């Protein structure tokens, strides 16, 4: 797979793998041996960029996702780029699904988090360390200073911010240069495009999570799709309702038409659309199916001209797209 650069010096595969679904939010967790096999299989397909977080787990084992990533890649640690995150914990006592989140980026908490992540990932450094969500009680300068210190100590190499806004990004970047922001971005969720000029000016990359709107843009889910409400967040996502499927018929038709033209799949077109916008955008679709991993990796080979990208943008702007899951509440 081709590579891209995030920030000034971080080279990653053009498409990364979001690892969350192996243990969190997309049904019952994958058995450990199979999860490790699939992660290594992704590497075989050309993925070198793997995204996890300290909170991607279950109530019984809140940190299991990092452990899986650590076990999968410790034998080839120097060949992969691992991103993980700090600054969130789940409010399991609330009893709701999706489970509400609590932001906490106090410097002492970050220090505890990085040590835990290093141990679980079986590594002595984290390639890209994301603040998982902005903590309104902690100034960006304070967080950035901790990142600067951790870099000097060799515990992290680069850092980033998830769900970043312009003011927070600029203030943090002034203290310690930010390599990437990780924001929700897809054909159905485009409000962060207003941040693109700032990313361009600062030399900051975009790691796009939920790049296929939690799988809706694959075209694989029609009316009557069922998801277990106890383990699968898609059961509560508005884009998967029968009404939304009907409302988004034009969007899916747009994808299928372009896919036929490019000898690709709708999923590949939804990824190629953003890959061909800017060389500093890296989507991280998640999947637990080997064939989907291969398919998503192939999106990097689908080339759309700027005119074709603009035509898709114009068509999207005219569509009445349904509501889309925007994340769980953060306290």
């Amino acid at each position: 797979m081709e590579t891209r650069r995030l920030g000034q010096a971080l080279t990653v595969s053009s498409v990364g793998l979001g690892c969350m679904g192996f243990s969190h939010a997309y049904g019952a967790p994958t058995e450990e041996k199979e999860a490790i096999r699939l992660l290594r299989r992704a590497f075989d397909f050309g993925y070198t960029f793997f995204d996890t977080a300290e909170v991607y787990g279950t109530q019984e084992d809140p940190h299991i996702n990092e452990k899986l990533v650590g076990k999968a890649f410790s034998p080839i640690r120097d060949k992969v780029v691992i991103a993980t995150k700090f600054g969130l914990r789940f409010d399991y006592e609330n009893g709701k699904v999706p489970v509400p989140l609590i932001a906490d980026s106090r410097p002492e908490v970050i220090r505890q988090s990085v040590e835990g992540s290093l141990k679980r990932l079986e590594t002595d450094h984290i390639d890209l360390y994301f603040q998982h969500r902005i903590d309104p009680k902690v100034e960006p300068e304070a967080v950035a200073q901790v990142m600067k210190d951790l870099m000097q100590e060799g515990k992290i190499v680069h850092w980033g911010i998830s769900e970043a806004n312009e003011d927070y990004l600029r203030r943090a970047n002034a203290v310690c240069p930010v390599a990437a922001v990780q924001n929700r971005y897809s054909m159905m969720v485009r409000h962060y495009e207003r941040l693109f000029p700032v990313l361009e000016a600062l030399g900051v990359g975009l790691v796009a999570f939920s790049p296929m709107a939690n799988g809706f843009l694959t075209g694989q889910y029609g009316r009557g799709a069922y998801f277990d409400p106890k383990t699968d967040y898609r059961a509560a996502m508005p884009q998967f309702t029968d009404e939304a499927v009907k409302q988004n018929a034009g969007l899916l038709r747009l994808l299928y038409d372009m896919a036929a033209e490019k000898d690709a799949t709708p999923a590949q077109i939804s990824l190629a659309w953003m890959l061909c916008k800017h060389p500093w955008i890296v989507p991280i679709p998640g999947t637990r199916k080997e064939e989907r991993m291969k398919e998503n990796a192939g999106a990097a080979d689908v080339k759309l001209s700027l005119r074709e990208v603009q035509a898709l943008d114009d068509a999207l702007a005219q569509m009445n797209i349904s509501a889309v899951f925007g994340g769980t509440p953060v306290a």
Side-chain angles (χ1 to χ4, degrees):
M1 198 190 305
E2 295 176 352
T3 60
R4 295 194 164 205
R5 191 178 69 188
L6 296 174
Q8 300 304 311
L10 181 59
T11 300
V12 299
S13 52
S14 295
V15 178
L17 181 68
C19 302
M20 181 181 75
F22 287 103
S23 56
H24 179 76
Y26 286 86
T30 305
E31 186 271 329
E32 179 181 294
K33 186 176 180 180
E34 175 64 4
I36 293 171
R37 185 192 73 81
L38 287 167
L39 287 167
R40 290 297 296 269
R41 191 71 179 123
F43 177 76
D44 294 339
F45 289 137
Y47 293 86
T48 62
F49 183 36
F50 297 88
D51 179 87
T52 182
E54 65 175 345
V55 294
Y56 292 163
T58 64
Q59 190 166 2
E60 295 73 27
D61 192 347
H63 310 302
I64 189 172
N65 203 263
E66 283 187 327
K67 295 175 185 176
L68 293 173
V69 172
K71 290 178 181 179
F73 298 121
S74 59
I76 54 169
R77 181 64 185 91
D78 62 336
K79 292 179 168 54
V80 297
V81 172
I82 295 175
T84 192
K85 310 179 192 73
F86 67 90
L88 276 186
R89 59 186 174 87
F90 285 110
D91 181 11
Y92 283 111
E93 296 180 1
N94 190 286
K96 295 182 178 179
V97 177
V99 182
L101 300 162
I102 298 173
D104 190 346
S105 286
R106 290 173 293 167
E108 62 270 25
V109 173
I110 298 174
R111 286 279 177 180
Q112 294 170 2
S113 291
V114 74
E115 296 300 336
S117 290
L118 287 169
K119 182 177 180 180
R120 290 185 291 270
L121 290 168
E122 301 183 26
T123 186
D124 62 357
H125 70 280
I126 294 165
D127 299 298
L128 180 55
Y129 202 34
F130 281 111
Q131 182 181 20
H132 208 154
R133 291 292 184 276
I134 290 172
D135 182 347
K137 300 182 291 296
V138 181
E139 298 296 324
E141 292 83 0
V143 175
Q145 184 59 53
V146 178
M147 298 299 105
K148 189 173 184 178
D149 294 342
L150 291 175
M151 287 180 187
Q152 292 173 347
E153 295 165 22
K155 294 179 179 179
I156 71 172
V157 185
H158 305 274
W159 85 290
I161 307 162
S162 186
E163 301 279 27
N165 58 57
E166 180 177 350
D167 178 67
Y168 194 96
L169 173 60
R170 286 189 180 278
R171 289 171 61 186
N173 188 73
V175 176
C176 184
V178 174
V181 299
Q182 184 176 136
N183 288 355
R184 185 183 303 273
Y185 183 54
S186 72
M187 283 183 160
M188 298 180 77
V189 181
R190 299 178 61 191
H191 57 275
Y192 276 120
E193 287 184 350
R194 60 177 176 264
L195 193 62
F196 284 8
V198 181
L199 299 179
E200 189 88 56
L202 297 179
V204 175
L206 172 67
V207 176
F209 76 88
S210 296
M212 291 184 282
N214 308 98
F216 183 84
L217 294 175
T218 64
Q220 299 296 310
Y221 302 99
R223 296 188 190 184
Y226 174 78
F227 306 101
D228 186 346
K230 294 181 180 179
T231 59
D232 197 321
Y233 285 14
R234 287 173 294 184
M237 293 183 185
Q239 67 266 38
F240 292 104
T241 64
D242 287 353
E243 294 78 9
V245 171
K246 181 178 180 180
Q247 184 177 347
N248 295 322
L251 171 59
L252 294 177
R253 188 162 52 250
L254 177 71
L255 280 170
Y256 273 103
D257 287 347
M258 181 62 78
E261 186 177 330
K262 294 292 181 178
D263 192 24
T265 67
Q268 289 174 332
I269 295 300
S270 71
L271 296 175
W273 165 79
M274 63 178 70
L275 286 165
C276 295
K277 274 180 177 284
H278 297 287
W280 38 261
I281 296 179
V282 178
I284 51 168
T287 184
R288 296 188 282 178
K289 296 180 180 179
E290 193 170 321
E291 63 270 23
R292 296 290 174 229
M293 288 180 183
K294 186 175 183 180
E295 177 184 352
N296 294 343
D301 298 322
V302 178
K303 304 303 180 185
L304 304 179
S305 68
L306 291 178
R307 180 176 295 181
E308 288 169 327
V309 171
Q310 186 60 55
L312 290 172
D313 283 345
D314 292 343
L316 292 171
Q318 300 299 316
M319 289 183 179
N320 180 24
I321 295 173
S322 75
V324 183
F325 179 66
T328 51
V330 179

